[in-house]
Amino acid sequence: MGVVTFDAEDRWNAFVTLCRKAEHRDDGPLAGVRVAVKDNISTAGIQTTCGSAILKGYVPPYDAHVVTLLREAGAAIVGKTNMDEFGMGTTTESSAYGPTTNPVDVSRVPGGSSGGSAAAIAGGLVDMALGTDTGGSIRCPAAFCGIVGLKPTYGRTSRYGLIAYANSLEGVGPMGRTVGDVSRLFSAIAGHDPRDATSLDRPYDHTPAPEVKGLRIGVPAEFFGKGVDPAVAAEVRAAIETFTELGAEVVECTMPSMQYALAAYYVTCTCEASSNLARFDGVRYGPGADTIRSWHDAYQDHRKEGFGAEVRRRIMLGTFALSAGYYGKYYGKAQAARKNVREDFARLFADVDVVAGPTMPTTAFKLGEKSDPLSMYLADILTVPANLAGVPAISVPCGTVDGLPVGLQLIGPHFGEERIIDAAAAFEEVRA
C-alpha cells in the first residue's frame, strides 16, 4: 500500500472533507492517482453529508460500489467534494457548508450540483473526480469550469451507495481535465453490480480514438432556441462546424418534446425526492431535534432544522404532485412527456450518430444572481432531456465568452459512450 499526502490549499471551498493522508494500492490503472468523490457517495470511514446539515457527522460503514472499484484500481481518495444539498441546485450555493466558487472567476458559481468536484479539478487540486448527474449535475459544472464531464447511460454505473435523490434519473459519472482522463476513470467504475437492480452488465474498456470521418451529427433547432445566449450559441455553432472540417456531416433536425422536458423533469425529480428524503426524520437517519413536543411536531422541527430551503421546497412540491386527486394531473402527465422525450431521441438516433448542442444556455452566473428558483430551474433546459431518456452525454470545453468557459454537449444513444467520447476526443485534439 502507498500513501498520498494531500496538502493542497482549498481556496474555492471545493471540499467538505479533506483526507490529508490517503492510502492506495500500488497496482491498478489508477495507482496513486488523486481522485475526489462527491459528498453524496458513501465512503467507509469518511464523513458523507450530501451537503446537508441533517447528515453532518454521518460516517458510512461501507463503500459505494463505485468507490470499491476506485480503491481496487489503486486510486487515492483525497476527500469529499461540496455540492448543492442532496444534489438540488445548479450553482453549489445551497450547500450547508457554504458555496463553492469557480476557479476561473471566483465571483461566479462553479455550476451544480457537482460544483465541488469541478472546482477541485479546475483549481488543480486533483486530476479526476466523481460526480453525480440527475438533471445535468456533472455537465453543468463541467461547462462552467472548463473541464470534461460524462453522464453515462442510466445503469452503466452502479447506484449502490449513492444516497438517493431521484432514483430513476440519477447516476454516477466521471469528471476530469481531459477526455482521456474521463475515459480512464469511467473504465474503472463502469460495470454490473448485483446489489443494484438497475445495474447493467455493460463494462467500458475503450481507448479514445479521435476520428469522426463519416459521423452524422444532429443539431436540434430547439437547442439554440429561446433563452440561449447568442454569444454562447455562436461559440457552439463554430465548434460544431469544426466537425464538418474533420469529415463529419452535420444534420439540422428538430426535437419537439423539448418544450415539455423541463416540466416533466421537475415533476419527476420532486416526486421522487419527497419519497427518498422521508427517511431523514431524526429516528432512522439524522440527529434528533432538541424538543419535548409530540412525535409529529418533533418530526416537523427536525426536518425544518436539518433541511435547507431548496430541499424543503422540492419535498413539498413532490408531495403535492403525488397527493390524492393530483397524481394524474401532474405525475401521470410528466411520465407521458418523458416517454415522448425518449421516443424523440430514438427517432433522431435512427438518422444520426450523435446529437450536439450547448451544454448550458449561458456562461457561469454571478454568486447570488439566481435568487428566483424558477430562473434557476430554467437553466437546466438543455441537460435534462438526456436524463429523462437515460442516454449518455458528455460536456467538453469548446471556447469562451467574455473569458468564461462554454461547454459543447454531445449526446449519444444508449450505450453510445464510446462514440461520444471519440467525438469529444477528436474535437479536443483539434482545439489543443
Side-chain angles (χ1 to χ4, degrees), residues 35-408:
V35 178
V37 176
K38 190 176 178 180
D39 207 28
N40 60 347
I41 301 172
S42 295
T43 41
I46 306 173
Q47 178 183 228
T48 300
T49 71
C50 287
S52 178
I54 210 164
L55 281 177
K56 185 176 183 180
Y58 169 62
V59 179
Y62 70 101
D63 277 331
H65 185 64
V66 290
V67 173
T68 299
L69 294 176
L70 276 185
R71 295 190 195 279
E72 290 174 354
I77 296 173
V78 296
K80 304 300 290 292
T81 53
N82 206 3
M83 55 181 285
D84 282 305
E85 187 176 7
F86 282 98
M88 301 180 190
T90 312
T91 61
T92 310
E93 292 176 290
S94 73
S95 169
Y97 306 93
T100 297
T101 56
N102 191 325
V104 178
D105 179 347
V106 293
S107 70
R108 296 180 182 271
V109 303
S113 64
S114 306
S117 292
I121 296 167
L125 303 180
V126 296
D127 293 323
M128 304 175 185
L130 292 186
T132 61
D133 197 312
T134 308
S137 298
I138 285 176
R139 290 160 287 157
C140 164
F144 280 4
C145 292
I147 65 165
V148 182
L150 171 70
K151 172 221 159 324
T153 300
Y154 182 80
R156 202 161 182 183
T157 55
S158 169
R159 288 186 299 106
Y160 176 80
L162 166 61
I163 297 175
Y165 154 34
N167 316 49
S168 74
L169 298 163
E170 63 198 1
V172 180
M175 306 172 77
R177 287 180 177 278
T178 66
V179 175
D181 286 347
V182 163
S183 180
R184 284 178 64 200
L185 188 54
F186 187 46
S187 294
I189 63 172
H192 182 245
D193 174 14
R195 295 169 297 184
D196 175 4
T198 62
S199 173
L200 301 168
D201 190 13
R202 290 294 292 260
Y204 173 87
D205 182 16
H206 178 70
T207 301
E211 176 60 61
V212 295
K213 193 171 183 179
L215 196 74
R216 286 174 63 83
I217 300 176
V219 182
E222 292 80 1
F223 274 68
F224 295 87
K226 185 179 178 182
V228 179
D229 183 337
V232 169
E235 199 70 25
V236 173
R237 284 282 188 190
I240 293 172
E241 189 59 31
T242 302
F243 286 108
T244 306
E245 298 165 6
L246 294 174
E249 181 183 358
V250 173
V251 180
E252 299 292 338
C253 55
T254 62
M255 190 171 174
S257 62
M258 279 282 288
Q259 62 179 313
Y260 305 113
L262 195 65
Y265 168 76
Y266 273 101
V267 170
T268 303
C269 75
T270 55
C271 287
E272 294 185 15
S274 75
S275 173
N276 281 319
L277 272 60
R279 78 190 76 173
F280 301 104
D281 55 7
V283 178
R284 289 167 290 185
Y285 289 92
D290 184 15
T291 179
I292 57 173
R293 304 171 71 188
S294 67
W295 187 86
H296 284 94
D297 289 339
Y299 181 87
Q300 179 177 297
D301 287 351
H302 171 74
R303 289 163 69 82
K304 185 177 180 181
E305 288 178 12
F307 287 141
E310 182 59 30
V311 173
R312 295 200 302 272
R313 181 181 298 113
R314 295 197 190 196
I315 289 173
M316 287 189 287
L317 284 170
T319 303
F320 174 77
L322 289 173
S323 59
Y326 292 99
Y327 176 88
K329 188 175 182 181
Y330 296 110
Y331 188 78
K333 286 187 176 178
Q335 300 321 299
R338 182 176 187 173
K339 181 171 177 286
N340 288 339
V341 172
R342 193 180 180 95
E343 289 175 351
D344 252 359
F345 272 121
R347 176 180 57 81
L348 289 175
F349 287 127
D351 185 45
V352 302
D353 301 303
V354 171
V355 168
T359 304
M360 296 298 290
T362 66
T363 54
F365 323 126
K366 288 275 189 182
L367 287 160
E369 180 180 333
K370 295 287 184 183
S371 57
D372 169 27
L374 185 58
S375 66
M376 181 87 77
Y377 300 165
L378 289 171
D380 298 335
I381 181 66
L382 303 177
T383 50
V384 298
N387 297 82
L388 289 170
V391 295
I394 191 170
S395 179
V396 60
C398 70
T400 60
V401 170
D402 297 329
L404 297 171
V406 173
L408 167 68

Side-chain angles (χ1 to χ4, degrees), residues 3-66:
V3 177
V4 164
T5 300
F6 188 63
D7 55 3
E9 182 184 355
D10 181 10
R11 291 181 286 145
W12 305 281
N13 196 31
F15 286 88
V16 174
T17 304
L18 282 168
C19 303
R20 297 290 183 185
K21 299 285 185 183
E23 292 187 346
H24 64 86
R25 288 176 53 163
D26 290 327
D27 55 350
L30 298 178
V33 175
R34 299 173 182 182
V35 178
V37 176
K38 190 176 178 180
D39 207 28
N40 60 347
I41 301 172
S42 295
T43 41
I46 306 173
Q47 178 183 228
T48 300
T49 71
C50 287
S52 178
I54 210 164
L55 281 177
K56 185 176 183 180
Y58 169 62
V59 179
Y62 70 101
D63 277 331
H65 185 64
V66 290

